[in-house]
Amino acid sequence: MSTLRLGDIAPDFTANTSQGTLNFYDYLGDSWGILFSHPADFTPVCTTELGTASKFKEEFDKRNVKMMALSVDGADSHNKWILDINETQQTVVNFPIIADEDKKVSNLYDMIHPNADDTLTVRSVFIVAPDKSIKLILTYPASTGRNFYELLRVIDSLQLTAYHKVATPANWKNGDAVVVSPSISTEDAKDIFPKGVEEIKPYLRMTPDPKS
Ligand code: BEZ
C-alpha cells in the first residue's frame, strides 16, 4: 500500500482487463489519463457511472484523455456486467475495466479504505498528465456517484493551468475569465496577457481566457 499525493508519479502496472492484458503506461502513451475505481460489478451506482463515462468518451477524447476503470471482480464478470450496462444505460462501454481480483492495482493506488469497507474499493479518481505525474486525486464513498461534468471541468482547468500562468476561480468553466498566477507582477501580466488584466486588488487580477 502506498499513499499517493499530487505531483507523485503514477505507478505503472500491467493488469488483466475487460479488453485483455494492458500496461497502464503503454495504454496512456502521450495522453492524459483518468483512472477510476468502482466498489464491485453488478452494483447500481457503478452501472450508471460506467454508462455515463461511456457516453462522455467523445469529450474525454477531445481533451486527449484516456479512461481506465477498475473493479475488484474478474474479467468474465466485467464482460457480463458490460452487457447489462450497455442495455440499461443505452450505450456501449468503450474503455477497459481492470479486473483487479488480487487487488494489486487497488493497493498500489490506495483505493481500499478499510474503515469504509475492508474488501471493496471506494470511488477513487486519479488524473494523470502526459509526464505521468498525478494532477488530481478524488475520493468518494460507495454511496455517492461521481459527477462526470465536474471531471471534464477539472480536466479543462488542469490543462489550461498546465500551459498558462493562470489559476481558475470558484465555479469556473471553460471559456470564463481566469485569475493571474500570484507569482506574476501585474506589470508583467499586462505583457503576458494581451487581452487585458483587471486588477481588482493587487493580489486578485483577472484576465480573459488566454487560450482562445
Ligand atoms: C453501487 O455501485 O451502487 C454501490 C456499491 C457498493 C455500495 C453501495 C452502492
Side-chain angles (χ1 to χ4, degrees), residues 19 40 75 108 113 148 158 169 185:
Q19 298 181 358
L108 198 57
H113 294 203
F148 283 78
L158 292 171
S185 69

Side-chain angles (χ1 to χ4, degrees), residues 93-133:
V93 173
N94 42 23
F95 52 85
I97 307 173
I98 298 168
D100 198 34
E101 287 179 289
D102 60 3
K103 303 192 173 69
K104 186 178 84 178
V105 180
S106 310
N107 284 325
L108 198 57
Y109 278 81
D110 194 19
M111 291 165 165
I112 294 175
H113 294 203
N115 290 334
D117 188 309
D118 59 4
T119 54
L120 303 180
T121 41
V122 291
R123 298 187 197 282
S124 297
V125 181
F126 291 85
I127 296 180
V128 178
D131 67 358
K132 309 294 183 287
S133 63

Side-chain angles (χ1 to χ4, degrees), residues 191-205:
D191 291 335
I192 296 170
F193 302 109
K195 289 183 192 168
V197 174
E198 182 193 5
E199 189 183 81
I200 300 165
K201 291 280 181 192
Y203 60 85
L204 175 58
R205 292 85 40 88

